[in-house]
Amino acid sequence: MTREDKALSPFNEHIAALRSILSDEGVQVGADAAAYEEGARFDRGVAAFVLRPTSTAEVSAAVSYCVRNEIPIVPQAGNTGVVSGSTPDASGTQAVLSLDRLSRNLRLDIDNRSVRADAGILLSDLNAALEPDGLFFPIDLGANPRLGGMLSTNAGGARFLRYGDVRRNVLGITVVLADPEGSIVTLGSSLRKNNTGVDWKQLFIGTSGAFGIITECVLNAERIPRQNAAALLVPSTPSAILPLLREIEGRVGEYLSTFEAMSGNAIRLTLQSIPRLKNPFVGGQVPNYVLLVELTRTWEPRDGEQSLDKVLETALAEIWDTQPDLLADALFGPSQQLWMLRHSIPEGLKQSGRLVSCDLAFQRGDVMKFCDTVTTELPIRFPGVIMCDFGHVGDGGVHLSLVAPHGSEAALNPDLEGNLRSWIYEKAVNDFGGSYSGEHGIGRKNQAYYDKFTPERLKSWARAMKAVTSPSELGVPRLG
Amino acid sequence: MTREDKALSPFNEHIAALRSILSDEGVQVGADAAAYEEGARFDRGVAAFVLRPTSTAEVSAAVSYCVRNEIPIVPQAGNTGVVSGSTPDASGTQAVLSLDRLSRNLRLDIDNRSVRADAGILLSDLNAALEPDGLFFPIDLGANPRLGGMLSTNAGGARFLRYGDVRRNVLGITVVLADPEGSIVTLGSSLRKNNTGVDWKQLFIGTSGAFGIITECVLNAERIPRQNAAALLVPSTPSAILPLLREIEGRVGEYLSTFEAMSGNAIRLTLQSIPRLKNPFVGGQVPNYVLLVELTRTWEPRDGEQSLDKVLETALAEIWDTQPDLLADALFGPSQQLWMLRHSIPEGLKQSGRLVSCDLAFQRGDVMKFCDTVTTELPIRFPGVIMCDFGHVGDGGVHLSLVAPHGSEAALNPDLEGNLRSWIYEKAVNDFGGSYSGEHGIGRKNQAYYDKFTPERLKSWARAMKAVTSPSELGVPRLG
């Protein structure tokens, strides 16, 4: 269906009706809809139209209209997801329901350390609003999503080790169901403790809108760190990474907020792709693996108290003393500069060639074993593809990124992505008991794998819950 | 039905059949069943028989038999709950399924900081097994429950502020469903990150076995604190408690593990009931409210590092300097001794008279406001009843305990408990947006309030979920 067809399409009547509900600005079509049709990772579809409600009541009215007229809805928040979970398909028959104007209400309860917020608010705007009171929402991501997307994908991020995932930081939600009434349901509230039956909000967190559209939420806020210390550690061998994690956890305990691993390949390609990045390694020699370790403390330094730099130095010195075979080198530096290298990797790899990025998770003890297996087998099965793993070793997550350099034979193979994903996912799930989606979610990209790896019984549960929550077509992944 | 009737009951055939499945020791009747028929808070029923399987497979076989023969099942773990959620009713027709022999397997994964355990294992046994590796399960309770009960009630406890509830510390579960097959389902695993659709285990946590019996679990383990410091703080007025919480959170941050409040009434009655307890207050004068504050740190003290006692003293001195009107006094002491006073309160109040204990939760800013309202209105509505609140102010929880002294007119009123509960619960839920069960769960005691306060829509969701998981009669509360 082309845009010209759309102008003549039967949707014109619906567009007029929905404009009377949401105002002209609340319904966009044609060129104005284009930004909502393309996702963060080259996924592109065609929307029948884009709805932009400004309140839960408007979401309800818009959803009710679509359900009664059998128009499938794809909810979209910040559209920063990487699994094609927030964009329409190519049919031109789906309505995108964007939360980008549902961003008016934000109320901090400083005593409760919680914030009630519309689901269309950007993470950066939330944190800007909390900052004057010394608080923040502790999910650290490279992207800047809207809250509804973070909840519906249960985002994780680089400080999971300390603050957990989004699920852990949600106290309550308001959802709109895809039923003829566009029913509004409140689940949970500002309470931190509430054991009065089923915690139904859990069903809506991490399920990409399959059971309803999250329109408002109450979130836990944490105190902003006032001190930090960071270092790049070079493990003697990849097998030293896990003992190093245990040693550091044992020696700096409460302060540890990040334990990330970056493979030499990932760093090298990133430094090549993004020349403004500084190569921090002696003689420019990038090691096989590098760890980013960060300590944070939430109160202001006091006289007589050791700085976190000193705490980290002491802990590393103790490790050198007692287990000299674990740590080859340690580079200290301003936290922000070290993080820049880490946060540049996704973009750096994207520029380096054709990128297939798998978002895996394992028991912590299995991460490096898995990477080792892939490193060994990859050149045989996929010659020319470069293994560029990096990620959250501290919580078992790894972004297993595979790069086929521009112009290489592998890059030209149309089946490369499917073949790589199938091989990696099956090895991860079947051989290692791992997850094929540590934090990114299902979306269109992982639908086939959800279908394959999910027991039929759990699909039937999803169908049963969908039937009583949002029986109409809603969201991208089919969980039933 | 008397025990003599039972001997002649139609259950004899079932008992014989079940003994062939579970062995003689696995099925108990008569006097041997008595301990399983009485709960922790005077609730007593009559069981048709008691099943004591030793493995998930045996649970499955026993459940399958009961379902096929239409025998309702009441799962029971440590039987330490206080809402009559694990004991049979008076009909003599329900089978108690005890997990007390399902306690053979416990496997620590030290790299993953997780432990896979049978659901019948006692909390104390779990911690004893983890202790040699410097780890523990961070849910701190006065009682010593079995793990399955902790999961099915989503226990909270006195260090919630730091470690969260049970829900936050569960990675995976195995459940047996009450269907004709006694189906065994595994939900989650040892992974800390897994975003592959619905996180179904959440619906089994905190729902008292309504959807299935948890038989195994994988739990997060935390590092045992190596240093601690505690103090009893006397706030200048009850309204200073909340600002003190904020000040202390801001000044000791990561170290704060407990912020408990105890009313003077609760302390006085406890000291009277339990004479071996030492009165720690100057001249024996118990203040209006006392706070128990605890700091913990998970690593061994190092040279040049401030002790936690010093950190706490410094923080309190800063508060005295900057906000002299908040804190009237501070008593330092060995952590264990201060905790003994706090942990003795439930037993002390129980001995002081007829006790009606409400397990409420609020936004943190509302806890003291609510207590204040009740303190004002109680003497008018319930003369002679003493308000003895204590609990977890740091997370919004309060055990609002009401004591009618032995022999008082109020104590003799048969409607006292029902009238008190209705008044307190309605005020908490309707006027303050609070919860009538912060951490104890529903059980028989709160069933009527669940029925009253739960929207019909959520009950219909529970029925839908129950229909596809455990369609037969299972557990005490009816959630649908």
Side-chain angles (χ1 to χ4, degrees), chain A residues 420-441:
Chain A
L420 267 174
R421 265 187 214 287
S422 293
W423 177 61
I424 295 283
Y425 283 13
E426 283 185 28
K427 185 185 290 291
V429 175
N430 295 334
D431 300 352
F432 283 78
S435 170
Y436 61 92
S437 169
E439 51 186 15
H440 290 169

Side-chain angles (χ1 to χ4, degrees), chain A residues 240-259:
Chain A
I241 292 176
L242 195 60
L244 275 172
L245 170 59
R246 279 173 49 189
E247 287 293 330
I248 289 173
E249 278 197 334
R251 288 170 197 282
V252 303
E254 291 78 358
Y255 294 147
L256 187 62
S257 53
T258 297
F259 191 97

Side-chain angles (χ1 to χ4, degrees), chain A residues 281-298:
Chain A
F281 303 101
V282 179
Q285 290 293 311
V286 177
N288 246 354
Y289 273 98
V290 179
L291 304 170
L292 170 59
V293 172
E294 184 196 54
L295 277 54
T296 50
R297 187 151 70 180
T298 59

Side-chain angles (χ1 to χ4, degrees), chain B residues 78-137:
Chain B
N79 198 18
T80 59
V82 296
V83 292
S84 295
S86 56
T87 44
D89 64 20
S91 70
T93 61
Q94 297 179 314
V96 169
L97 191 146
S98 169
L99 301 179
D100 63 353
R101 295 204 307 160
L102 181 48
S103 57
R104 296 188 296 197
N105 298 301
L106 189 155
R107 205 171 67 241
L108 171 66
D109 178 340
I110 196 165
D111 288 329
N112 204 47
R113 264 205 292 104
S114 67
V115 56
R116 180 177 292 271
D118 283 350
I121 289 174
L122 286 165
L123 175 58
S124 60
D125 287 341
L126 173 66
N127 283 331
L130 297 178
E131 198 277 333
D133 291 296
L135 298 172
F136 79 125
F137 186 57

Side-chain angles (χ1 to χ4, degrees), chain A residues 206 434-438 441-442 446 450 454 479, chain B residues 193-199:
Chain A
S435 170
Y436 61 92
S437 169
I442 306 294
N446 285 321
Y450 175 88
T454 308
L479 302 180
Chain B
K193 278 183 160 169
N194 188 15
N195 260 356
T196 51
V198 187
D199 187 357

